[in-house]
Amino acid sequence: MSDSTVQMSPAEREVDGLTIRYAETEGVEDETILLLNPWPESLFAWNTIWSRLAKAARLVAIDLPGFGQSERRAELMSPQAMGEFLLLLIDEWDLGHPHVVGPDVGTGAVLFAAAEDVDRFPSAVVGSGGASFPLEVTGTLKQIIEAPDLSGFQGIDGRDIVAGALEGIERHTLPEAVREDYMTSYAGERFIESAAYVRRYPSDLRVLAERLGDIQTPVQIIAGRHDTLVPPSNAEFLHARLPHSKLDILETGHFAWEDGSDDYLDLTRSWIEAHSTSRSRG
């Protein structure tokens, strides 16, 4: 498989006193793409497109704090706080003005960061994450967000919860090492701890909705038409309110970056190339 030509080789690095797992490639021209993990997955969600996207730019993929195998800090477990953390990470790691790809839980964090620093990102790719206000989510995600507490999940190994969630990947066969990484990342209480993030959606997305019109970053929104957790109405909500956005609905379920990896790659690469910093300077 061509994607195996550039391996993802995770390492660890500190940001603001937290140990963050990341992977990166060598630079190509002047472009950098920062990729954020979906939930309940890790940076290996980008394994399907890593080599091909690496031909367009330097790649830096991270596990957000509290997700994948990065260290957690309770006060960062909300989209707004995570957006502030992203800006800090970019500064501490000298990433400059990266393009950012942040589906699922990354969606809110990316948009909060873009609202806070309107000149930071030359482009962004989001989607498949709760974004609308009032919130429109379904299935297990809705139950997790609306439950008075998460006591019903106590005593359940996070590995088992993730294994069930991954059944939503319908077309793509996960390499066993990637599947194991996902399950290990949320073993024990890790899944429940990470759920604190989505439980902040109702309050944080109210704030975000009021700031969407201020975002100047060009945003490509990608969603799965058959998403049984985050309906495409969330993507449509963003598209109607972001001043510079494009919406594409793929014929996939929730895990569009894996089940529709070829289309996801084409849309992402085209969007980044159209808004490349080198082109704007030229």
Side-chain angles (χ1 to χ4, degrees):
M1 187 171 65
S2 61
D3 287 349
S4 65
T5 57
V6 179
Q7 298 288 344
M8 297 189 75
S9 300
E12 293 181 341
R13 186 173 174 183
E14 278 205 357
V15 181
D16 193 29
L18 290 175
T19 300
I20 300 299
R21 187 173 70 160
Y22 74 101
E24 65 180 335
T25 65
E26 296 297 324
V28 176
E29 298 182 349
D30 299 322
E31 306 292 334
T32 297
I33 305 173
L34 176 62
L35 301 112
L36 314 180
N37 69 278
W39 182 62
E41 298 186 328
S42 71
L43 53 78
F44 280 104
W46 305 114
N47 187 58
T48 55
I49 66 174
W50 188 253
S51 279
R52 290 175 288 172
L53 191 58
K55 296 176 182 178
R58 173 197 179 198
L59 307 182
V60 178
I62 66 168
D63 285 341
L64 293 166
F67 296 96
Q69 295 185 25
S70 287
E71 193 174 3
R72 173 179 174 271
R73 181 179 292 153
E75 56 265 35
L76 293 179
M77 300 307 289
S78 78
Q80 186 166 10
M82 198 68 79
E84 296 171 359
F85 176 83
L86 280 179
L87 295 174
L88 177 64
L89 179 144
I90 290 166
D91 284 339
E92 286 201 12
W93 288 10
D94 295 323
L95 298 184
H97 292 78
H99 304 270
V100 60
V101 180
D104 193 72
V105 291
T107 295
V110 167
L111 295 176
F112 268 116
E116 184 68 25
D117 188 343
V118 295
D119 297 319
R120 175 62 64 172
F121 306 113
S123 78
V125 179
V126 301
S128 300
S132 62
F133 184 82
L135 183 61
E136 296 182 25
V137 294
T138 56
T140 305
L141 179 59
K142 181 180 176 71
Q143 295 172 15
I144 289 173
I145 292 172
E146 295 184 352
D149 57 55
L150 295 177
S151 59
F153 290 91
Q154 296 299 325
I156 302 176
D157 189 341
R159 287 180 61 92
D160 297 329
I161 300 174
V162 174
L166 296 179
E167 292 180 5
I169 301 177
E170 300 169 343
R171 303 180 196 169
H172 173 64
T173 300
L174 285 175
E176 192 53 41
V178 173
R179 178 182 296 275
E180 179 60 28
D181 186 83
Y182 292 168
M183 294 194 296
T184 299
S185 293
Y186 301 94
E189 298 295 316
R190 280 274 292 182
F191 179 87
I192 298 305
E193 292 172 351
S194 65
Y197 183 94
V198 298
R199 286 170 63 82
R200 289 293 299 272
Y201 278 1
S203 57
D204 277 27
L205 295 181
R206 178 196 293 270
V207 176
L208 181 61
E210 298 175 354
R211 303 187 67 181
L212 293 175
D214 298 329
I215 293 174
Q216 298 304 305
T217 303
V219 181
Q220 166 73 66
I221 308 161
I222 305 174
R225 189 180 309 279
H226 311 293
D227 193 327
T228 58
L229 297 172
V230 183
S233 57
N234 288 269
E236 294 161 355
F237 180 92
L238 291 178
H239 184 46
R241 291 163 177 79
L242 288 167
H244 312 289
S245 66
K246 177 173 173 282
L247 172 62
D248 285 276
I249 307 291
L250 304 185
E251 296 299 326
T252 70
H254 180 69
F255 298 90
W257 47 90
E258 286 165 323
D259 276 337
S261 60
D262 289 345
D263 290 334
Y264 201 99
L265 171 67
D266 289 344
L267 290 168
T268 298
R269 188 164 51 194
S270 296
W271 192 248
I272 289 169
E273 288 175 352
H275 299 93
S276 70
T277 55
S278 56
R279 175 175 296 186
S280 65
R281 286 197 301 270

